[in-house]
Amino acid sequence: MTKKFGKAFKKVKKINNKIKKYTKEKYLGFLINEFSNNFKIPKYVIEKETKQIISRNYDYANDKILKIKSWKNFIKNLFLTFGISILIIFTFFFKKKITKKKEFEIIVDGALKQNEAFHFNEIIKNFNKVCFISKKKFLKNKNIYYFNHKNFFITNNSYSLLVRLKFLYFVFLIFITSLISLKNFYFIFFEIIYKLLKYNFIFNSVISKSYIQSKFYDTSALKNYLFKINGGKITSCTQKNLLEVGLSSFINTDVFFSIGKNTGSLLRELDGECKKIFPVGSLYMEADWFKKRKDLKNVEKTDLLVIGINTVLRHYKLHITEAFDKNYYKFINWVAVFSKKFPKLRIVIKHHANFPHDPKEYEIIKNSNIKLQIINKSVNGSYAHAFKSKVLCSFGSTMIFELLGHNVPGFYVDPNFENQQFFELLPQSKIWRLNNYNKFEKKLLKIIHGKKLEIRNKDFYCLNSKNVSKRISNFLKNY
């Protein structure tokens, strides 16, 4: 059966093909080949890593690679890469005594904050020996060994003096190639060099059968390669967001733990590599709702909760076609019209805690009865607001799928069915997408006034998330 895709997907796919060709072009291809030869890493690994870096730095709104023409970034990363190369040569003469590599059942990576670490708390309980890659000790579990790599990766004992000198040579090679081509290649190779030094040190110090991280859009072909040549067996990541077309290219992981039965399908279509997509439910919902006390006393009841998405900070990734801006603010306008038409209804727009001011959104809702909520009033975060609302809607939040999977009705507001960033290969979303204002008003009022909707095939949205960590742990142990 032929798959049909929208304009946004087709544009991203076309850009992905350009990125693939770009890594083969004369100057960048030369640097990739030289890096591979000098540091004995397969060329295909460096090519994959380069594609991931370029894709993450692609500005879809302006159709360009960020930083590639930035001489400010060129100078900044020139000094950074030069500084690292000098430092690793200097520290060769002060390197520490080699210690035996510590072995664990699982390595947890990518948690930079307390709440991010807590999402792994239940998984950690299912293993006896856990290594947590972190500069801070967020969790107090006795089975956790914290590996703090801060600054120490530059003294890696596995590099000879000759190899360390090659880093300095490569810094000058990037400089010359960038000047000749009038392109800033430092933004690519600074990240590759940093990641090579960091994870080579980490995986030479600690290793495990399994590796897990939370952000699928931050996976790394180079990191996975280093993990496996040092004795690791399986890399994995969890689904934090719907697979947006602007965020989901070149994902590289052995196992993708999806929230629903087919919510990971887009991964491979956007040039990602994954051996197994395994539905488990939402790790975030498990941690923030099912494993925490129900902290609802300061959360008001609402008739309609509008779950926001961060359009301001991520505009360059979301604005793939002209339809995005037009329809996002049309959605906000529908909510404002609905509020003015039914002023007694309690309507709240709940944004993320890091949401900046959006002047256009503010102008649309300022004369309505809509309340804007940014700061969380519950340890359960936005889930507390969702479970205290009669009905939910959003332009593209993953929470709609999560809550549909737990029998809470919610809709995606999708004017003219033109919102293509979020719903590719998710046919189950169609019945919950409202493409005109009349449907929007009619559907919401029915539920607000007490009509019960039957949500069928809930596992296609999100599996019951009470025991997500158990499913993940069992899979990794039996792999």
Side-chain angles (χ1 to χ4, degrees), residues 192-337:
I192 291 175
I193 290 169
Y194 182 90
K195 199 167 286 182
L196 172 61
L197 293 170
K198 173 182 173 180
Y199 282 101
N200 194 49
F201 172 68
I202 289 173
F203 297 138
N204 267 292
S205 304
V206 294
I207 199 59
S208 65
K209 173 190 171 185
S210 304
Y211 170 96
I212 190 168
Q213 66 180 93
S214 60
K215 303 177 182 73
F216 64 80
Y217 45 82
D218 196 35
T219 57
S220 163
L222 177 57
K223 178 168 58 178
N224 294 349
Y225 170 77
L226 294 171
F227 175 70
K228 290 183 178 180
I229 64 168
N230 280 287
K233 300 298 181 186
I234 176 174
T235 62
S236 64
C237 68
T238 59
Q239 183 171 12
K240 186 174 183 287
N241 309 78
L242 293 180
L243 291 180
E244 302 171 24
V245 294
L247 193 66
S248 307
S249 292
F250 302 109
I251 295 169
N252 195 289
T253 185
D254 290 327
V255 182
F256 181 77
F257 292 116
S258 64
I259 62 170
K261 282 191 172 179
N262 76 326
T263 60
S265 301
L266 192 65
L267 188 158
R268 293 179 179 125
E269 295 291 339
L270 285 173
D271 303 290
E273 294 185 17
C274 178
K275 294 177 182 176
K276 178 74 173 178
I277 297 172
F278 189 71
V280 293
S282 170
L283 185 68
Y284 306 89
M285 189 175 189
E286 178 193 41
D288 292 336
W289 180 251
F290 289 109
K291 300 302 179 182
K292 289 182 179 178
R293 62 185 175 86
K294 301 300 181 284
D295 178 27
L296 303 175
K297 63 179 183 292
N298 295 320
V299 179
E300 64 179 308
K301 290 182 179 180
T302 55
D303 295 298
L304 171 63
L305 180 71
V306 181
I307 305 171
I309 60 172
N310 206 332
T311 57
V312 178
L313 296 177
R314 296 180 52 246
H315 184 261
Y316 73 105
K317 286 292 182 188
L318 291 165
H319 188 84
I320 300 171
T321 67
E322 294 300 320
F324 176 76
D325 275 357
K326 176 186 71 173
N327 288 320
Y328 176 75
Y329 291 109
K330 184 180 285 188
F331 150 61
I332 297 297
N333 187 62
W334 286 3
V335 178
V337 169

Side-chain angles (χ1 to χ4, degrees), residues 114-176:
Q114 177 72 41
N115 66 314
E116 292 175 344
F118 184 76
H119 292 146
F120 291 105
N121 191 50
E122 294 300 314
I123 291 177
I124 288 166
K125 291 178 182 179
N126 289 295
F127 293 90
N128 295 318
K129 293 180 68 178
V130 177
C131 180
F132 213 104
I133 308 299
S134 175
K135 297 175 184 178
K136 293 183 179 180
K137 296 183 178 181
F138 294 116
L139 306 174
K140 305 301 181 185
N141 310 49
K142 291 182 180 180
N143 61 331
I144 299 177
Y145 172 82
Y146 281 94
F147 186 80
N148 186 346
H149 61 275
K150 184 180 180 182
N151 298 329
F152 294 109
F153 63 89
I154 55 178
T155 65
N156 194 326
N157 289 294
S158 69
Y159 289 126
S160 66
L161 180 59
L162 178 61
V163 172
R164 292 170 189 247
L165 288 168
K166 285 182 179 180
F167 281 105
L168 183 59
Y169 157 75
F170 196 75
V171 171
F172 285 108
L173 202 61
I174 301 170
F175 180 79
I176 294 166

Side-chain angles (χ1 to χ4, degrees), residues 71-72 80 94 109 161 165 217 326 366 465:
W71 294 105
K72 182 179 179 181
L80 286 172
F94 301 94
D109 193 14
L161 180 59
L165 288 168
Y217 45 82
K326 176 186 71 173
K366 69 178 181 179
S465 298

